[in-house]
Amino acid sequence: MLSRKIGMVAPALAAVALAACSGGGGDSSSTPTGPSKISISLMDAPVDGVTAVYVKITAMWIKKEGGPAVQLPLTTTPMTVNLMELTDKNAAILIDEAVIEPGSYEWLSMDVAAERNVRDSYVMTKTGGEEEIELRVPSNRVRLVGGFEVPPNKSVQLLFDWDMRKGLVYPPGQHQYMLKPAFRMLDVTAYGEIKGTIAAATVGTSLDPTVNNCASDDKVNLDVGNVVYVFEGNVTPDDVDGTGDPLATVNAMRNAAGDYVYRTLVQPGTYTVVFSCEAGNDDPEAEDDITFLNPVGSTNPIASQGNTTIVNF
């Protein structure tokens, strides 16, 4: 049974404040220090090859510097979410305005029920037919973020993007998936979006690898593996292998016109944005030779200022 509280991120998280704000005149030392509130939402960057990733969240904890870990109240306990369904417009609201003390925090973590031979967290995949495969989480706990500030008298609302392309692995011979922490945190007071179109001609139509770089000997669906990789700064793009990983990976989906479209949220900053139709071969546990394509009519890096930035391929 799927149980979660959902909401649109933009209006729901419009009051994010991750640093103290300075107001008008007056002595800042006289500003009263009072409790703050924290809200936490979760979305997902999907991955090829699976149709659903069900995760049973049983608890969330927050650890203040010099203090004990404190459990935060989930909106539903336990809460089961299908990560493949979650977007910024349909995020799972895990914590809704829990009262906390202001100050410096060491970490924020989440407990996941993922026991052997128990149908709690699992993956749905198609292997000649839909198949349910056990999902394991090391230590049954994942760290969302470490080292952040909560200013006094503020409503801190955090959106976490769990990237399945980096976090979901299938170790050989174990017949179970492993889910690792692969999060990025968004401050949506200043976020923008990078979006665009990959022309159908870029992906091609032929399944013959001798005439189409997006085809391969085992690729029977050209709609699979089309992914935009977003890296922080001006860097040389690399595959997902634990070193120099992208900030985000975004599946490009075919639209009615036959082209492929994508969209992702980013903070204001400088990014290297590339496209690959070979992402289905990008194993997060190995070094892979992935070919990347730069944007049409533009060179990296891309500057994003908290608005909509169009990057086409």
Side-chain angles (χ1 to χ4, degrees):
M1 181 68 180
L2 185 64
S3 174
R4 61 186 173 99
K5 183 174 181 180
I6 63 175
M8 290 186 64
V9 168
L13 304 184
V16 175
L18 299 183
C21 300
S22 59
D27 183 0
S28 60
S29 64
S30 64
T31 302
T33 299
S36 298
K37 294 181 179 180
I38 189 168
S39 296
I40 301 166
S41 294
L42 181 66
M43 69 178 188
D44 158 63
V47 67
D48 304 314
V50 302
T51 59
V53 179
Y54 288 100
V55 174
K56 186 177 181 179
I57 303 167
T58 58
M60 294 203 67
W61 299 84
I62 191 168
K63 171 71 167 61
K64 191 176 183 184
E65 288 186 3
V70 176
Q71 189 170 351
L72 296 170
L74 288 168
T75 55
T76 304
T77 306
M79 177 182 293
T80 298
V81 299
N82 176 7
L83 295 176
M84 297 292 285
E85 291 182 342
L86 304 181
T87 70
D88 60 297
K89 296 181 179 179
N90 187 36
I93 301 175
L94 308 181
I95 306 296
D96 192 7
E97 293 198 327
V99 175
I100 60 173
E101 296 180 0
S104 300
Y105 282 82
E106 294 181 11
W107 49 257
L108 180 67
S109 68
M110 177 170 65
D111 289 353
V112 175
E115 302 294 337
R116 288 187 180 273
N117 303 317
V118 177
R119 191 178 186 271
D120 40 27
S121 298
Y122 57 95
V123 173
M124 299 299 295
T125 184
K126 287 185 177 179
T127 309
E130 199 162 40
E131 182 182 6
E132 180 179 313
I133 300 178
E134 188 174 79
L135 179 65
R136 299 296 311 282
V137 175
S139 304
N140 288 351
R141 176 172 289 186
V142 290
R143 181 74 54 86
L144 280 76
V145 67
F148 64 100
E149 296 290 327
V150 175
N153 306 309
K154 296 295 181 181
S155 179
V156 175
Q157 302 187 31
L158 309 178
L159 170 63
F160 289 93
D161 181 16
W162 200 342
D163 193 335
M164 292 295 99
R165 193 167 299 279
K166 293 188 284 186
L168 188 66
V169 298
Y170 191 66
Q174 296 191 23
H175 196 66
Q176 63 179 10
Y177 279 92
M178 300 290 289
L179 189 58
K180 304 186 301 181
F183 297 100
R184 64 176 176 127
M185 185 176 72
L186 286 160
D187 171 1
V188 297
T189 55
Y191 80 88
E193 62 178 359
I194 295 177
K195 67 178 184 178
T197 302
I198 296 94
T202 300
V203 177
T205 58
S206 174
L207 290 172
D208 183 353
T210 64
V211 298
N212 184 3
N213 292 332
C214 287
S216 63
D217 293 335
D218 59 352
K219 192 168 186 178
V220 297
N221 186 352
L222 290 174
D223 289 347
V224 175
N226 300 314
V227 171
V228 173
Y229 291 63
V230 181
F231 299 82
E232 286 189 284
N234 183 9
V235 300
T236 300
D238 194 10
D239 67 317
V240 176
D241 60 3
T243 303
D245 283 353
L247 173 73
T249 60
V250 196
N251 277 14
M253 309 301 295
R254 187 191 286 266
N255 63 12
D259 297 317
Y260 298 83
V261 294
Y262 74 96
R263 173 181 175 272
T264 189
L265 303 183
V266 293
Q267 304 294 157
T270 300
Y271 300 93
T272 298
V273 184
V274 293
F275 169 73
S276 177
C277 55
E278 303 172 10
N281 299 323
D282 195 348
D283 183 348
E285 297 287 279
E287 176 72 29
D288 301 297
D289 185 15
I290 302 297
T291 301
F292 295 105
L293 180 68
N294 284 320
V296 171
S298 175
T299 58
N300 279 310
I302 305 297
S304 175
Q305 301 301 325
N307 47 23
T308 298
T309 304
I310 304 295
V311 182
N312 297 322
F313 298 87

